[in-house]
Amino acid sequence: MERIPMLMKTAPNDITLTPLPSSSLSSFKDEKPRKFYDMRHLLPTKSPVSSSSSSTNGLIINNYGINSKNSFMTRLCCHMMKGVQRNIQKCVAALVLISFFSIIFFTQYMDSSPLVGLIHRDTKPMPLIHCQTLNKSPSDPSQTHDHRSEARLRIDSKVLVFVETTYSKLGREIAEELVYNRIKYKIEVSGKSLPVLTNLDKGRYGVIVFENLDKYLSMDKWNRELLDKYCREYSVGIVGFMSASEETLVGAQLKDFPLYVHTNLRLRDASLNPFSPVLRLTRAGDTAWGPLPGQDWAVFQHNHSTYEPLEFAQKNTLDYPNDNGIQPPLTTVLQDHGKLDNIQRIFFGAGLKFWLHRLLFLDALSYLSHGQLSVSLNRMILVDIDDIFVGERGTRLKPDDVHALISTQSRIAEMVPGFRFNLGFSGKYFHHGTKEENLGDDMLLRNVDKFTWFSHMWNHQQPHLYDNLTVLMNDMMLNKDFAKVKNIPLDSGYSVSPHHSGVYPVHELLYQAWKNVWNVRVTSTEEYPHLRPARLRRGFIHRNIMVLPRQTCGLFTHTMYIDRYPGGRDKLDESIQRGELFQTIVYNQINIFMTHMSNYGSDRLALYTFESVIKFLRCWTNLKLTSAPPLQLGEHYFKLHPEESDPVWGNPCEDARHLKIWSRNKSCDSLPKFMILGPQKTGTTALYTFLSMHPSLASNLPSPDTFEEIQFFNGNNYYRGLDWYMSFFPLQNATSSNSVHIGGPSSTGSTNARYFFEKSATYFDGDLVPKRAHQLLPNAKLVVILISPAKRAYSWYQHTRAHGDIIANNYSFYQVITATDTAPKPLRDLRNRCLNPGKYAQHLERWLAFYPAQQLHIIDGEQLRLNPIDVMNDLQRFLKIAPIMDYSNHLRYDSKKGFYCQVINETRNKCLGKSKGRIYPEMDEKSTKILQRYYLSHNTALVKLLKKLGSRPIPTWLKNELSTTT
Ligand code: A3P
């Protein structure tokens, strides 16, 4: 394969190649990927048990055959033997039964008997982590590992990632790691022109990452010089990953660098250079023994002092049997100090599949950005033990389990200051175990002050199943009374709901009951916004209760024995030592894990898991682990992430797990199928009224504060929650299922068959509205009405005047729209409310960033005023409403009102009130001119947008406005 020109192969006539200095590399020369050796002869031979047992049976039958000669004695013998055989069979059957019942009895009631010991072989794993440096305490992260320098002040904390394609695997892994660590990034496909790199005198990116180093080396001269110039001027470093290729390179030189690579290697036993200045989060704790993932590693060889190895590995001797003796370590990650060209770089010989590279990647970002992209080294850990006192006999804690719990807790606390297990109890099941397990319950209570406690539900019932606040509170009170009697502390301010029920999706009754009974201030869930992907779990605050994201640790109620762990012990160990659990703590500053009481009995897998992972973290990272009670964690969390305080309400019907913990009395049918977004003063009330006349449609109930508009997605109503919003769309048929019919009416024929819709004219230009609306109603259709933005502004001014607004009454329209930024705030506010909604293209673009264009219907407001019958027919077709209602029978022009109105009977119409279709003087000429100019660019953008959206007519008013201005 002809690799990129700058990677020069070691062909004899390739004169650019510098001879390789190390003898160790000679052995690479003939390396083609080899097959693994046939190791089958080393495996134990197959057990012959099955064949021997069947042959034994065969022998018995055969013996009978030998003895069955025709003599009387023989027959007598046979007869007697048959009798004996029958008795033996009976005896054996009786024995089996007795043994069976004895085992049941002993395991259930006599749990300390030797029999139980025999049945339950002790398989408890020990938290032993192989680590040379485990007992040396990690250095104080605040003292060392600081990459910060003045240079960081000139760059933004953002990474520019060049990927091969938008779908490439390593590119995705890089992005995922950045998301997990909340590091901002921009993805660019290599080969295109460079994005803008600076913003005034600041660099936009702190580090440049190349998913494929070749793409950096093969950049065209112009772009390469531009990028290198940027890196030099802003002291920005480059990370490059050697990518796998079919061709095996042996000592190929990297263009323009005194650096050689060997590729497609299989390696093992990675270790780090403990003196590397790059190490910050990562600690050179030990050797990562064993084969490294993948068969396409690259190693670097260099002969210049600008290079310093960061990671080494060994060749996998099983794969390279000709290499006898000890091999010197090979450099798998290399730092370029930039002595040659003033650009610092870090080269990786393989991607992020290898766990140490994930850590080193974070350190590389931190180092190369002079600390601008450093992640915090502080990690807080809280381990909840749910279901205390709950659980089947045989799965609960015995006194020695409680001992183990306490002693592990103190060992962990030595490594994690402040660590205490956080116990969630359900009092109803106290003393429901075997004799010995009941002693375990007592022992927990004797040691009540050694732990922190929180209330679970009294009977472990899921709160979303309650639809009566008093009943829910009474159940909580039972647990509180239990806690008082047993001296369990009541003031943790924390609670957790069984199976996340009621926390998210929010069941308002739970939040109210928690407040009233327990004064809960903080809880945690894995479900917000969704269980997966875990890197996107977030927190929010609702009704003053902080909801923290909870992390997964791989233990569930039923994981009690190591040899029955799903996927085997290796799977759990993999998660602890380098895998999911380890990385969860590396990536999250605040970790709340849920475990269950059953994980602390039997093989005590939770004790094993947490002690092991903490040791592994100490071995391989410089993270400073601490713990604190939940309330402190909550406060700390929202200090770190204040932007998460606001919730985002998702659609429970879009997530099967959410549906399972959503009240049966709630239904997605209680959500609107379409929304009229506004903007204000374009005829939204008329449209709303006309639609409400349709028998297949039902609008929301009126709001006491905002009349026909709910105004949920903008402003403070959003914090009232989903239950509040849905209460505006009551289903008459309360037994409705949670079926989703968004996009088309339900076929049930009940009231649910009606389309719910809402109109809130402030949605159109609300900044947060499109995102919020899309989270809840991704399939909703959107209706927008547009009139001349100048007319709209004037109508709004008249509207505020009519409502007695002092500013509108004291200032002329011209004064309002020409008010400068130095004008008094109320005047500026009125100016903004007049002008901003009319920047139609801008607002529509924001909606279209969330919704596909097919879900958006744009009505020409002039047509709505002059020819509403056609407008309504078009709209019905867009909404796919059946049956289509012929509005010509229901709307009639009312000459007195000057607008179309609803037909009541032959002589009577029902028109909109006085506030709609007001009579006011025409706009003055100066204002008209000013607004024509003001909206020119916005109107031009609107025409462009409408054309881009396709098959949408350009409204006549828009054509007119543009022709007048030009
Ligand atoms: P004016 O009162 O300035 O004339 P909204 O309901 O969104 O607040 O819009 C009010 C505007 O709707 C009115 O503005 C009026 O021009 C327009 N409109 C359109 N059709 C109407 C109708 N059939 N009856 C009353 N007003 C109508």
Side-chain angles (χ1 to χ4, degrees):
M1 191 198 95
E2 210 29 62
R3 205 159 145 101
I4 51 157
M6 58 293 316
L7 277 179
M8 285 160 277
K9 289 187 243 168
T10 49
N13 49 0
D14 193 342
I15 29 171
T16 53
L17 174 65
T18 313
L20 300 179
S22 165
S23 61
S24 72
L25 293 161
S26 60
S27 51
F28 287 114
K29 279 181 189 147
D30 61 344
E31 280 164 5
K32 292 262 178 298
R34 286 190 181 84
K35 283 186 185 143
F36 285 96
Y37 290 124
D38 186 350
M39 305 285 281
R40 277 172 292 183
H41 63 283
L42 296 176
L43 297 173
T45 44
K46 205 178 160 197
S47 159
V49 173
S50 57
S51 61
S52 91
S53 66
S54 69
S55 67
T56 311
N57 288 340
L59 197 64
I60 293 166
I61 295 162
N62 200 17
N63 285 344
Y64 277 124
I66 293 162
N67 292 331
S68 64
K69 304 283 177 204
N70 283 342
S71 71
F72 167 75
M73 279 305 285
T74 315
R75 280 203 304 275
L76 183 66
C77 270
C78 278
H79 181 73
M80 283 172 65
M81 279 189 71
K82 274 182 194 159
V84 169
Q85 200 186 3
R86 267 198 299 275
N87 285 338
I88 288 173
Q89 277 171 349
K90 280 183 191 163
C91 282
V92 169
L95 260 172
V96 168
L97 275 175
I98 290 167
S99 318
F100 177 73
F101 285 114
S102 314
I103 289 168
I104 298 286
F105 176 78
F106 278 114
T107 49
Q108 289 295 302
Y109 301 102
M110 306 285 287
D111 24 24
S112 58
S113 81
L115 183 64
V116 175
L118 277 178
I119 296 164
H120 288 185
R121 195 168 44 88
D122 190 355
T123 53
K124 292 180 192 65
M126 301 300 288
L128 302 172
I129 293 292
H130 184 283
C131 180
Q132 289 168 5
T133 53
L134 190 60
N135 294 329
K136 292 185 206 151
S137 63
S139 39
D140 182 352
S142 59
Q143 302 295 316
T144 54
H145 317 295
D146 194 350
H147 289 154
R148 278 176 304 172
S149 75
E150 287 276 298
R152 80 179 198 285
L153 304 175
R154 296 195 56 219
I155 43 181
D156 279 342
S157 50
K158 196 171 181 182
V159 183
L160 177 59
V161 186
F162 285 99
V163 293
E164 293 211 69
T165 70
T166 34
Y167 306 104
S168 44
K169 190 159 180 286
L170 178 56
R172 270 206 323 266
E173 285 171 352
I174 291 170
E176 279 170 15
E177 175 145 350
L178 294 173
V179 169
Y180 225 141
N181 288 280
R182 299 168 188 250
I183 296 174
K184 283 188 274 171
Y185 66 95
K186 179 178 169 70
I187 296 275
E188 279 288 317
V189 177
S190 310
K192 297 189 178 160
S193 51
L194 290 180
V196 181
L197 297 172
T198 52
N199 186 9
L200 301 173
D201 63 341
K202 223 176 169 195
R204 284 176 184 240
Y205 306 101
V207 175
I208 315 290
V209 177
F210 281 87
E211 178 200 16
N212 182 351
L213 183 60
D214 290 354
K215 299 288 174 189
Y216 172 61
L217 301 172
S218 64
M219 253 180 163
D220 64 85
K221 199 163 169 277
W222 170 265
N223 278 328
R224 173 68 184 273
E225 275 176 15
L226 210 67
L227 187 68
D228 284 358
K229 186 167 175 272
Y230 170 75
C231 289
R232 268 191 287 271
E233 258 175 39
Y234 291 88
S235 286
V236 163
I238 292 176
V239 174
F241 292 89
M242 282 297 298
S243 80
S245 79
E246 282 170 19
E247 187 187 25
T248 298
L249 299 171
V250 182
Q253 187 180 5
L254 259 67
K255 189 190 174 195
D256 301 337
F257 294 95
L259 188 59
Y260 306 90
V261 287
H262 306 262
T263 63
N264 284 342
L265 301 174
R266 284 186 290 258
L267 304 177
R268 58 180 299 123
D269 305 342
S271 54
L272 302 173
N273 168 10
F275 306 106
S276 168
V278 177
L279 296 185
R280 177 176 173 270
L281 186 150
T282 322
R283 186 181 186 211
D286 198 43
T287 298
W289 299 103
L292 306 184
Q295 316 194 357
D296 42 22
W297 282 70
V299 297
F300 303 96
Q301 197 176 21
H302 49 89
N303 55 8
H304 195 285
S305 64
T306 189
Y307 297 115
E308 182 179 358
L310 175 51
E311 181 192 71
F312 311 96
Q314 298 285 343
K315 280 209 285 180
N316 204 341
T317 41
L318 279 181
D319 294 335
Y320 306 98
N322 296 338
D323 297 350
N324 297 323
I326 300 164
Q327 296 291 327
L330 305 169
T331 302
T332 43
V333 180
L334 182 74
Q335 178 188 2
D336 174 356
H337 282 280
K339 288 186 189 166
L340 292 170
D341 62 356
N342 268 334
I343 300 174
Q344 301 214 46
R345 301 178 185 84
I346 293 175
F347 301 123
F348 283 76
L352 298 180
K353 234 187 308 172
F354 180 42
W355 64 275
L356 258 180
H357 285 191
R358 291 177 173 263
L359 307 194
L360 292 179
F361 180 57
L362 292 178
D363 279 346
L365 297 181
S366 165
Y367 181 82
L368 295 173
S369 68
H370 309 279
Q372 186 66 316
L373 289 161
S374 297
V375 292
S376 162
L377 295 183
N378 294 324
R379 297 292 178 277
M380 297 184 94
I381 299 177
L382 180 73
V383 179
D384 288 349
I385 310 180
D386 223 350
D387 293 357
I388 291 291
F389 307 129
V390 186
E392 299 283 305
R393 288 172 167 205
T395 67
R396 301 162 63 107
L397 302 193
K398 297 171 199 151
D400 56 343
D401 295 320
V402 180
H403 269 301
L405 182 70
I406 295 169
S407 53
T408 304
Q409 174 173 282
S410 39
R411 278 200 305 279
I412 293 182
E414 280 170 25
M415 300 182 277
V416 184
F419 183 84
R420 276 167 163 226
F421 284 108
N422 192 29
L423 273 50
F425 60 96
S426 291
K428 182 175 176 183
Y429 303 101
F430 179 69
H431 271 187
H432 273 49
T434 63
K435 213 170 98 197
E436 207 182 351
E437 287 170 341
N438 292 346
L439 292 175
D441 286 359
D442 294 335
M443 188 151 173
L444 273 178
L445 290 182
R446 268 204 307 282
N447 290 285
V448 78
D449 55 341
K450 294 211 164 58
F451 310 106
T452 50
W453 294 79
F454 65 92
S455 171
H456 215 35
M457 287 292 287
W458 159 252
N459 50 4
H460 206 256
Q461 175 88 326
Q462 297 178 314
H464 78 275
L465 301 174
Y466 292 77
D467 45 22
N468 181 308
L469 181 64
T470 319
V471 179
L472 180 58
M473 281 174 52
N474 284 346
D475 273 3
M476 285 188 184
M477 279 310 297
L478 290 172
N479 221 26
K480 193 167 185 177
D481 293 341
F482 169 83
K484 279 182 195 155
V485 172
K486 302 292 180 192
N487 287 326
I488 295 175
L490 309 171
D491 56 354
S492 75
Y494 180 68
S495 190
V496 166
S497 174
H499 308 125
H500 313 266
S501 150
V503 178
Y504 190 80
V506 165
H507 192 55
E508 292 295 342
L509 294 190
L510 172 66
Y511 283 71
Q512 279 173 34
W514 263 350
K515 283 249 111 169
N516 297 352
V517 179
W518 284 103
N519 193 21
V520 168
R521 296 270 324 281
V522 58
T523 180
S524 61
T525 183
E526 287 173 352
E527 296 294 338
Y528 177 77
H530 300 282
L531 179 73
R532 301 242 173 252
R535 64 180 172 280
L536 294 182
R537 278 183 217 159
R538 294 289 183 259
F540 66 97
I541 301 178
H542 183 55
R543 307 255 171 223
N544 230 1
I545 292 180
M546 296 176 277
V547 182
L548 302 179
R550 207 195 281 172
Q551 309 304 335
T552 313
C553 68
L555 297 176
F556 310 96
T557 20
H558 52 274
T559 40
M560 291 182 289
Y561 293 99
I562 191 74
D563 47 12
R564 285 184 230 157
Y565 188 83
R569 176 173 182 166
D570 285 353
K571 181 106 176 112
L572 180 61
D573 284 342
E574 199 266 340
S575 171
I576 294 169
Q577 302 186 32
R578 72 196 172 272
E580 186 175 341
L581 178 59
F582 168 72
Q583 286 178 33
T584 296
I585 301 175
V586 170
Y587 298 151
N588 284 292
Q589 283 197 51
I590 293 181
N591 296 273
I592 302 181
F593 293 103
M594 174 53 62
T595 57
H596 295 87
M597 185 174 75
S598 52
N599 305 134
Y600 295 80
S602 310
D603 274 357
R604 301 176 192 153
L605 291 188
L607 297 183
Y608 168 73
T609 300
F610 285 103
E611 194 171 345
S612 305
V613 76
I614 286 161
K615 285 180 177 171
F616 195 77
L617 282 157
R618 272 169 70 94
C619 181
W620 284 102
T621 73
N622 289 308
L623 293 174
K624 190 175 166 208
L625 305 172
T626 54
S627 188
L631 209 51
Q632 273 181 41
L633 285 190
E635 277 155 10
H636 189 56
Y637 185 89
F638 287 102
K639 231 180 246 160
L640 285 175
H641 309 296
E643 73 288 352
E644 285 181 29
S645 311
D646 277 6
V648 178
W649 307 126
N651 188 319
C653 297
E654 298 279 309
D655 183 322
R657 292 175 59 93
H658 290 175
L659 258 188
K660 276 195 195 143
I661 47 172
W662 207 36
S663 164
R664 276 164 186 269
N665 299 330
K666 299 175 192 173
S667 157
C668 288
D669 288 342
S670 278
L671 289 170
K673 311 279 190 280
F674 72 92
M675 292 190 289
I676 303 168
L677 306 180
Q680 287 167 307
K681 309 317 291 173
T682 55
T684 54
T685 316
L687 183 64
Y688 172 85
T689 312
F690 300 162
L691 285 167
S692 304
M693 290 154 56
H694 198 297
S696 301
L697 301 178
S699 68
N700 52 280
L701 296 179
S703 149
D705 311 322
T706 44
F707 312 104
E708 85 266 6
E709 298 198 348
I710 311 177
Q711 299 186 1
F712 175 63
F713 294 107
N714 54 330
N716 288 338
N717 283 338
Y718 193 68
Y719 305 118
R720 298 185 177 200
L722 187 55
D723 288 0
W724 180 84
Y725 183 51
M726 295 209 316
S727 68
F728 286 92
F729 306 98
L731 291 178
Q732 282 168 25
N733 181 355
T735 56
S736 151
S737 69
N738 282 327
S739 56
V740 208
H741 296 297
I742 293 175
S746 132
S747 54
T748 55
S750 68
T751 44
N752 305 357
R754 296 215 292 169
Y755 257 150
F756 269 127
F757 75 99
E758 73 137 324
K759 181 274 278 196
S760 294
T762 42
Y763 286 170
F764 179 73
D765 54 306
D767 281 345
L768 293 171
V769 183
K771 181 183 171 196
R772 286 175 170 178
H774 186 257
Q775 288 288 336
L776 183 63
L777 307 169
N779 301 314
K781 292 185 176 169
L782 313 172
V783 181
V784 163
I785 311 170
L786 302 181
I787 60 169
S788 150
K791 276 195 187 166
R792 199 217 70 83
Y794 189 50
S795 172
W796 175 256
Y797 170 78
Q798 294 298 344
H799 173 80
T800 41
R801 261 173 84 89
H803 275 79
D805 181 90
I806 305 171
I807 303 292
N809 280 294
N810 283 346
Y811 291 89
S812 70
F813 181 59
Y814 180 78
Q815 285 171 318
V816 171
I817 58 173
T818 53
T820 63
D821 284 346
T822 52
K825 188 170 181 300
L827 181 56
R828 276 183 286 134
D829 286 347
L830 180 60
R831 176 198 66 185
N832 294 344
R833 290 288 332 135
C834 281
L835 297 178
N836 287 348
K839 300 168 183 172
Y840 295 146
Q842 196 171 299
H843 299 301
L844 285 171
E845 294 277 15
R846 217 184 28 247
W847 280 95
L848 290 167
F850 291 91
Y851 284 90
Q854 303 88 283
Q855 280 172 240
L856 172 70
H857 186 71
I858 300 174
I859 292 176
D860 176 350
E862 290 301 323
Q863 287 302 307
L864 177 68
R865 188 165 59 84
L866 302 172
N867 185 7
I869 292 161
D870 283 354
V871 167
M872 293 312 290
N873 288 343
D874 279 355
L875 180 58
Q876 289 179 86
R877 274 193 292 276
F878 167 75
L879 295 172
K880 297 199 173 80
I881 297 172
I884 297 247
M885 178 168 135
D886 183 1
Y887 273 89
S888 59
N889 299 326
H890 300 277
L891 297 178
R892 181 163 58 204
Y893 183 76
D894 187 296
S895 49
K896 214 161 123 212
K897 176 82 181 170
F899 287 92
Y900 273 81
C901 299
Q902 186 180 352
V903 174
I904 299 295
N905 58 33
E906 291 217 336
T907 51
R908 269 190 58 224
N909 298 328
K910 190 175 167 211
C911 298
L912 299 187
K914 273 202 297 236
S915 63
K916 305 291 163 183
R918 284 197 179 90
I919 295 166
Y920 42 78
E922 278 211 355
M923 197 191 307
D924 65 286
E925 215 169 291
K926 266 194 323 184
S927 300
T928 312
K929 285 227 165 91
I930 285 234
L931 289 180
Q932 267 168 3
R933 247 178 290 132
Y934 180 83
Y935 282 119
L936 176 63
S937 61
H938 300 288
N939 284 341
T940 314
L942 179 62
V943 173
K944 259 195 204 155
L945 179 66
L946 292 177
K947 284 187 179 158
K948 194 175 94 187
L949 294 177
S951 66
R952 305 199 189 220
I954 309 292
T956 318
W957 60 260
L958 183 54
K959 286 183 198 156
N960 289 345
E961 293 218 347
L962 284 173
S963 65
T964 329
T965 332
T966 48

